[in-house]
Amino acid sequence: MAISERAARSILAPAMSRGTGDLASDPECPKEVAAAYREAFLATRFAMLNHPGTSLLISAVDDSATAAPLAANFALLAAMEGERVILVDADPHTPTLDRLFSLTPALGFSELTRHEGNDALGSLQPIDLGSSQPVDLRVLGAGNAGGMPGGIGRAPGLSELLLRLKNDSDRVILVGTPVLTHVDTMDLCSLVDGLVVTMSPDRTHREDAARARQVLDRVSAPLLGVILTSAAIGSPAAR
């Protein structure tokens, strides 16, 4: 099942096995799961050759799947290959990276976009993988969603924040809100170089997938393709 026939030909990875909530850097992560993440990462990087740029947004179709573990692993793999990577939780409605990386409380994406001139770089938290291989990976948590009428697109500091992050890294990877749940992902589409959509093949309704594609087409989203993920990644009960 895919968002459209064109997207179906751009499938970046097969359905991932159970346990994909683990990070590929974790010694306990199953080998087949780590391999699936790497396959998806390499395919996405190849797809971006036709979309020059350094920023990548990863969002789910709806709340039947989640984008955060995929984005976190993409960021880890890019950093392990020597890139300076900034990973951003741009979903303040359902923050996830704070838990995945045990971030300390600090200003997050939501607060930094509300006002221009905030110290964005000072809010980034470096990640130590605890191995002999040092990586340059910094994470910006989601922060407090608070009130943002009309979606994140009206946030005065959004463009400035993303520009600062891009200028201080080789790659910026953002976790977006589900396409059909909030308008934030559509607002971000014009500010990023590529978009990957995740969906659960056994839980995402065909009608929802088609509707998500229509929404993305309306904003000319830089869609690279679709990644099928396991329903096991922190999803609610099947509908």
Side-chain angles (χ1 to χ4, degrees), residues 69-94:
L70 192 67
N73 278 284
F74 276 21
L76 283 170
L77 291 168
M80 291 169 68
E81 293 196 355
E83 293 187 8
R84 298 176 302 143
V85 183
I86 294 177
L87 175 63
V88 180
D89 195 336
D91 183 2
H93 309 282
T94 313

Side-chain angles (χ1 to χ4, degrees), residues 48 51-58 88 90 109 113 151-167 171-174 183-195 219-223:
M48 287 194 76
H51 297 258
T54 61
S55 57
L56 174 67
L57 175 63
I58 302 179
V88 180
F109 176 81
T113 59
I152 201 171
R154 297 188 180 182
L158 178 59
S159 297
E160 178 188 356
L161 171 62
L162 292 181
L163 181 60
R164 287 189 179 188
L165 298 181
K166 289 180 181 181
N167 288 339
R171 190 174 303 277
V172 177
I173 298 177
L174 302 98
V183 299
D184 300 40
T185 286
M186 279 67 78
D187 291 336
L188 285 169
C189 279
S190 64
L191 301 174
V192 298
D193 304 306
L195 168 68
V219 296
S220 300
L223 182 63

Side-chain angles (χ1 to χ4, degrees), residues 1 3 59-68 91 94 176-182 185 197-213 216 229 233-237 239:
M1 186 184 302
I3 290 180
S59 298
V61 168
D62 55 21
D63 59 8
S64 67
T66 181
D91 183 2
T94 313
T177 59
V179 174
L180 297 180
T181 304
H182 300 282
T185 286
V197 174
T198 71
M199 57 183 288
S200 173
D202 54 346
R203 301 180 107 168
T204 303
H205 296 173
R206 183 183 300 274
E207 296 80 7
D208 290 339
R211 189 155 54 96
R213 181 55 193 268
L216 294 174
T229 60
I233 319 178
S235 300
R239 295 180 292 175

